[in-house]
Amino acid sequence: MRFALAVALIASGLSLAPSEQASIANAAECSANVGPGIPPPASVPNGIPGFHAAWFGQSGYPTLCPGQTSKAVVAFYNSGSLGWRIAPNEYAALGTWGPSPGQDQPSILGGDGTHGTPNTRFAGYNRPAAMPAGYIGPGQVAWFQFVVKAPSTPGTYRFYLRPLIEGVQWMEDYGVFWQITVVPANPPQRVTVDSGFVTNDFFTAGGITYRYDRNDAYEWSDATITYQQFQELISGNDTVDIRYEPTFDGISSFNIVADFGSAPPTVRTEVGSFDGGPTKNDVTITVTPPASNLPLDYWDQRALVPPGTARCEATSGSYEPQSPTQSGSFVDGNLPSGTYCYRSGPQDRTAQWNAFAYSAAVIVPSP
């Protein structure tokens, strides 16, 4: 009873107007695919006193390129005598489970952008999904959906989960997990958008036309966004990483890595003694927005990361709020010795999302 699903990244098969026919994008060198879904069992328990859940089917295992996202769907049947509802001590959710990543632990395959997880819009860093409806009564089925993301290193990964009533109890463990196979691939194609035509679901870049639809996968600065948010964001001068399949049943993904008007800033750090004390335990952080950005607030965060961290990124550590609205230079003072990563991103009011940029890892020495 295992489960995985890649987002169906389907490029529209609509015919192009003559002005669009000159140059069409070629297929990506790495194509995602999804195995067959798993149907529900012939029968499930019913009416067990208390809170209970029975596994009731799921989508198939995905094979993904590094960094690609995959929409997961799993069904649980309310086999108990009590309903699940959005209320204290009755709220049903999916939680992370063992052996990987472990009970209530963060996963490198998905999360909410905190505790070292990629931002795939989980309900919480260790809660892949919450109730899909306000009430799931006894004998009814809840279809939970969430998004996982392939790590950058090829290999086979597993992600376990289990249903629970938040604050009350874990429900039955059916051993549900996602097996995600990540295959080697070249980096995605990076393009600069010439113009977008959101009413017709395509944009052009370098004279090439790229089509998209509701089944494609979308990110903004490596954070999962919806089709509607992608339409709101995509515009001329944006920089987009693309893995593109032009056929109707192909799989494509789009990641806006620089949104013109609200792109990530540069983040530079320097260690020293900036408070006049004898110990070099202060870090100056300089956040410089691109000249093209609109007036925006910036959210600056810090994470204590493992020694030897070579590159600061979303999964390097657990980022904490630091200075919610600062740009320019400021000092983070009197830090314990260790290795730190900093990040900063504009709070975009359209997408309601942060497009973070990261510093280099910075080491605060022992006194």
Side-chain angles (χ1 to χ4, degrees):
M1 300 175 183
R2 314 304 190 203
F3 166 52
L5 169 69
V7 178
L9 313 176
I10 303 173
S12 170
L14 300 177
S15 61
L16 302 179
S19 60
E20 302 171 42
Q21 291 175 351
S23 188
I24 307 300
N26 295 321
E29 92 294 340
C30 174
S31 297
N33 63 81
V34 185
I38 305 173
S43 63
V44 291
N46 189 40
I48 306 171
F51 290 113
H52 295 274
W55 172 86
F56 205 70
Q58 59 195 48
S59 46
Y61 294 111
T63 298
L64 303 173
C65 311
Q68 281 190 315
T69 57
S70 168
K71 184 184 291 182
V73 182
V74 61
F76 282 97
Y77 176 89
N78 184 346
S79 56
S81 62
L82 301 176
W84 309 337
R85 70 184 78 234
I86 301 176
N89 301 321
E90 298 177 278
Y91 185 74
L94 300 182
T96 53
W97 196 248
S100 176
Q103 180 180 342
D104 286 329
Q105 295 302 303
S107 171
I108 62 171
L109 299 176
D112 63 357
T114 67
H115 295 77
T117 63
N119 200 337
T120 60
R121 304 187 74 177
F122 277 16
Y125 75 90
N126 58 6
R127 293 291 182 265
M131 287 179 54
Y135 178 74
I136 309 293
Q140 294 183 326
V141 177
W143 291 90
F144 293 91
Q145 299 186 43
F146 57 93
V147 175
V148 293
K149 184 172 183 176
S152 58
T153 303
T156 300
Y157 301 83
R158 286 187 175 183
F159 173 64
Y160 288 76
L161 60 82
R162 182 175 175 179
L164 74 153
I165 300 298
E166 200 70 70
V168 177
Q169 69 180 71
W170 291 89
M171 294 186 283
E172 284 79 355
D173 180 13
Y174 281 82
V176 177
F177 70 79
W178 275 248
Q179 181 162 297
I180 299 164
T181 301
V182 183
V183 296
N186 293 327
Q189 178 185 8
R190 178 162 291 188
V191 302
T192 299
V193 175
D194 300 325
S195 56
F197 301 89
V198 296
T199 57
N200 295 312
D201 286 352
F202 74 90
F203 63 89
T204 62
I208 296 175
T209 296
Y210 298 91
R211 288 192 171 276
Y212 58 90
D213 66 21
R214 293 178 181 273
N215 295 314
D216 287 336
Y218 305 102
E219 293 181 286
W220 180 38
S221 192
D222 297 321
T224 299
I225 58 175
T226 65
Y227 160 84
Q228 289 83 2
Q229 288 173 323
F230 180 79
Q231 284 192 307
E232 292 172 352
L233 289 167
I234 192 69
S235 61
N237 296 313
D238 287 356
T239 302
V240 185
D241 282 353
I242 300 173
R243 295 190 187 276
Y244 189 72
E245 289 292 341
T247 60
F248 182 80
D249 59 349
I251 293 178
S252 303
S253 58
F254 304 91
N255 181 12
I256 300 175
V257 295
D259 178 27
F260 187 78
S262 58
T266 58
V267 183
R268 302 184 187 280
T269 54
E270 181 183 359
V271 178
S273 176
F274 303 115
D275 59 1
T279 305
K280 294 184 177 181
N281 60 355
D282 307 318
V283 177
T284 294
I285 302 97
T286 302
V287 176
T288 307
S292 60
N293 271 16
L294 302 170
L296 295 167
D297 291 336
Y298 286 79
W299 192 269
D300 306 318
Q301 297 179 322
R302 177 191 69 205
L304 178 64
V305 300
T309 295
R311 177 185 177 188
C312 293
E313 51 191 351
T315 55
S316 296
S318 180
Y319 289 87
E320 300 295 338
Q322 184 65 25
S323 302
T325 60
Q326 292 194 52
S327 59
S329 293
F330 55 96
V331 175
D332 190 14
N334 299 315
L335 293 170
S337 61
T339 304
Y340 294 89
C341 286
Y342 289 84
R343 68 181 185 181
S344 180
Q347 298 181 74
D348 187 278
R349 298 178 181 85
T350 301
Q352 297 295 305
W353 215 265
N354 289 87
F356 283 113
Y358 294 81
S359 71
V362 58
I363 299 173
V364 175
S366 299

